[in-house]
Amino acid sequence: MDTIKYGLEREIPIIANVDVLIVGTGPGGLCAAVTAARQGMTVAATEHYGSPGGMANIGEITPFMANHCSGESLDRPLYIEWLNQMHSYLSASPAKAQGKFSDEKRIPRYYAMLAAEDLLLNAGVKLFYHHTFFDVIKEGGKISAVIFSGKSGLSAIKAKMVIDSTGDGDVAAAAGCESELGNAEGYCQPMTLCFKLSHVDHSRLPDRATLSELYNRAKAEGKISCPREDVLYFRTFENDVIHFNTTRVIKHDATNAESLSDAEIIARRQMREYLAFLRESVPGYEKAEILSVASQIGVRESRRIRGIAYLTIDAFAGCAKFEDAIARVNYPVDIHNPGGSGTDLRHLKENQFYEIPYGCIVPVKTENLLIGCRAISVDHELHSSMRIMPPVCSIGQAAGMAATMAVKNGCTPSELDGKQIREALRKFGANL
């Protein structure tokens, strides 16, 4: 590839100097920022887009998958607070969420966004929207400043502790942290563009098996190019609306800008095919219209940043427990085939879970960085279980607590006692 010289020999304005900086305001970043702010830290949170909530907002991901034991959420307190705040925007008189699966179904993306912003602002977090992560300045083993790109050009934020909540481990990668990507062949789970259709006649819809039969017939006839084996959809609060989480873009890399761009085009091509197929071949969809489309394709997997601890699929099979656990997970192994059709689902029993130790969010080689998103130190198979939004809330919550304790104790995250972080999280309301 040809190259061109680009000089950066100029001064960059420092727009904030805080105790804790969170890069990204998805579920993990949201909970990291709120946790640190409630512990008395000065906190800044940056966001590439103009609103928070991550894939729950921008990716139109719904419903929240259940991470439960015996019907109760393993992710407290901030995940439940977020749900409650979402419910407050519903027109019907809302009951408080209790962390049961019914609480997590079909929340509109805009309510997820508004609720996330409410929590951030009420905690006193300074928000910087339309600030895209660009690079880090690293001195010795520490990040001394994080550089962002925006309408004003480049700017910098200085912080004692930095939390990478980009979802893709972008900050950690720029800081030189070790990472893994994908399965043994180097392929990550497929990406999916979510969309909603309205004007659907629910009274005439076929069952899922019949729909899958019609879908696979259309695939055989060359009308659909999506490699997925069936149609994944969910009912919504609206009587005539169906949410689709069913496009599948394989063998693309969310950490490569050109590959990510191509994935968006492929996904929208698949969406057009789905629309034509549903209107022409499926009862109840004859008058269907596109109601909404995610602003960005959903990414299940990208970088996984190596930490001072590392978990493999054995932790799932053995329901591993740790003295310094910072999150609990019951969600199944859920691997959408990186190479094509099929989905690998492996469930734990209803009352079983494994734990994620603190060291999985502490990167090697960078002294003042924590991971507060899905990009933690686990293997490809285990990642498919812990990547969903509820446990990511718990991971972000833990990163915010650890950052606070590191600032207060004047030490690095690797020098903290994970058992003390667990105890602090328990007092905060975590289910540990």
Side-chain angles (χ1 to χ4, degrees):
M1 180 181 293
D2 293 336
T3 62
I4 188 171
K5 289 185 178 180
Y6 174 61
L8 288 178
E9 295 180 0
R10 52 177 171 163
E11 292 186 354
I12 297 173
I14 298 170
I15 58 175
N17 193 335
V18 295
D19 293 323
V20 182
L21 167 64
I22 292 88
V23 183
T25 59
L30 160 67
C31 293
V34 171
T35 300
R38 289 186 183 177
Q39 303 305 304
M41 297 290 99
T42 56
V43 178
T46 64
E47 173 56 50
H48 169 73
Y49 294 101
S51 57
M55 287 293 104
N57 171 22
I58 302 301
E60 198 153 347
I61 305 298
T62 182
F64 291 88
M65 296 292 101
N67 183 41
H68 289 174
C69 273
S70 301
E72 298 290 331
S73 175
L74 293 173
D75 302 294
R76 297 173 183 271
L78 292 185
Y79 171 61
I80 302 302
E81 288 189 36
W82 190 21
L83 282 181
N84 280 330
Q85 192 63 22
M86 293 180 211
H87 284 197
S88 74
Y89 283 100
L90 296 174
S91 59
S93 298
K96 279 199 170 184
Q98 300 299 318
K100 299 181 185 296
F101 183 55
S102 59
D103 297 326
E104 297 159 301
K105 295 177 75 174
R106 307 172 302 180
I107 297 291
R109 62 181 280 195
Y110 306 110
Y111 295 168
M113 176 265 288
L114 292 172
E117 189 171 74
D118 289 340
L119 292 180
L120 290 162
L121 293 177
N122 290 341
V125 176
K126 172 60 178 175
L127 293 170
F128 291 90
Y129 294 136
H130 301 294
H131 281 67
T132 299
F133 171 73
F134 184 76
D135 204 354
V136 300
I137 297 174
K138 197 172 179 183
E139 298 177 358
K142 289 188 175 183
I143 296 172
S144 60
V146 181
I147 309 301
F148 298 91
S149 173
K151 288 291 186 179
S152 313
L154 299 181
S155 58
I157 296 179
K158 296 178 69 68
K160 297 172 184 174
M161 287 295 309
V162 178
I163 298 176
D164 184 339
S165 292
T166 61
D168 299 315
D170 291 337
V171 179
C177 297
E178 297 176 12
S179 66
E180 297 178 346
L181 186 75
N183 60 12
E185 298 175 289
Y187 294 125
C188 293
Q189 287 205 60
M191 301 182 222
T192 294
L193 181 76
C194 289
F195 61 94
K196 286 184 173 67
L197 297 183
S198 64
H199 297 79
V200 178
D201 184 353
H202 283 205
S203 67
R204 299 177 54 244
L205 296 183
D207 59 29
R208 290 180 185 270
T210 302
L211 177 58
S212 290
E213 182 180 342
L214 293 170
Y215 165 75
N216 282 298
R217 186 183 305 164
K219 282 179 66 178
E221 293 171 354
K223 295 179 180 179
I224 290 180
S225 59
C226 177
R228 188 181 169 89
E229 67 278 8
D230 56 13
V231 180
L232 181 59
Y233 68 89
F234 300 92
R235 299 291 181 95
T236 70
F237 280 116
E238 300 88 353
N239 290 331
D240 69 335
V241 175
I242 297 288
H243 172 86
F244 289 88
N245 184 338
T246 200
T247 59
R248 177 172 287 192
V249 180
I250 61 173
K251 298 183 179 181
H252 279 65
D253 180 1
T255 69
N256 179 290
E258 185 175 357
S259 183
L260 184 60
S261 175
D262 290 344
E264 299 275 12
I265 295 169
I266 293 168
R268 284 193 283 271
R269 181 184 304 135
Q270 291 180 9
M271 182 185 69
R272 293 182 184 97
E273 293 169 350
Y274 271 108
L275 180 62
F277 154 69
L278 290 165
R279 284 173 171 170
E280 293 171 6
S281 305
V282 183
Y285 285 97
E286 294 89 347
K287 298 180 180 179
E289 301 287 355
I290 294 177
L291 177 67
S292 60
V293 182
S295 301
Q296 181 192 308
I297 196 168
V299 178
R300 291 183 175 88
E301 180 187 15
S302 55
R303 295 187 192 94
R304 305 186 305 275
I305 305 303
R306 287 301 295 257
I308 60 176
Y310 182 76
L311 281 193
T312 70
I313 191 59
D314 293 339
F316 179 91
C319 295
K321 306 296 189 295
F322 300 93
E323 290 185 339
D324 62 345
I326 50 93
R328 291 175 169 176
V329 185
N330 169 266
Y331 188 72
V333 167
D334 181 13
I335 303 175
H336 299 239
N337 185 359
S341 181
T343 302
D344 179 2
L345 279 169
R346 292 172 246 164
H347 293 267
L348 293 173
K349 293 180 180 178
E350 184 181 2
N351 62 346
Q352 291 181 324
F353 60 87
Y354 65 91
E355 294 181 330
I356 297 172
Y358 169 61
C360 286
I361 68 170
V362 183
V364 178
K365 293 185 178 179
T366 301
E367 296 178 7
N368 63 332
L369 177 65
L370 288 156
I371 305 300
C373 59
R374 58 177 160 79
I376 67 170
S377 184
V378 295
D379 72 4
H380 167 74
E381 290 181 273
L382 191 65
H383 183 272
S384 74
S385 168
M386 57 64 52
R387 64 183 170 82
I388 62 168
M389 290 185 281
V392 167
C393 285
S394 292
I395 289 165
Q397 192 170 266
M401 186 65 73
T404 296
M405 294 174 69
V407 170
K408 289 183 175 180
N409 290 309
C411 66
T412 66
S414 63
E415 294 170 330
L416 291 171
D417 184 345
K419 295 188 292 293
Q420 292 182 1
I421 295 169
R422 182 178 193 173
E423 184 57 31
L425 288 168
R426 280 174 173 160
K427 292 178 180 178
F428 190 61
N431 187 6
L432 294 170

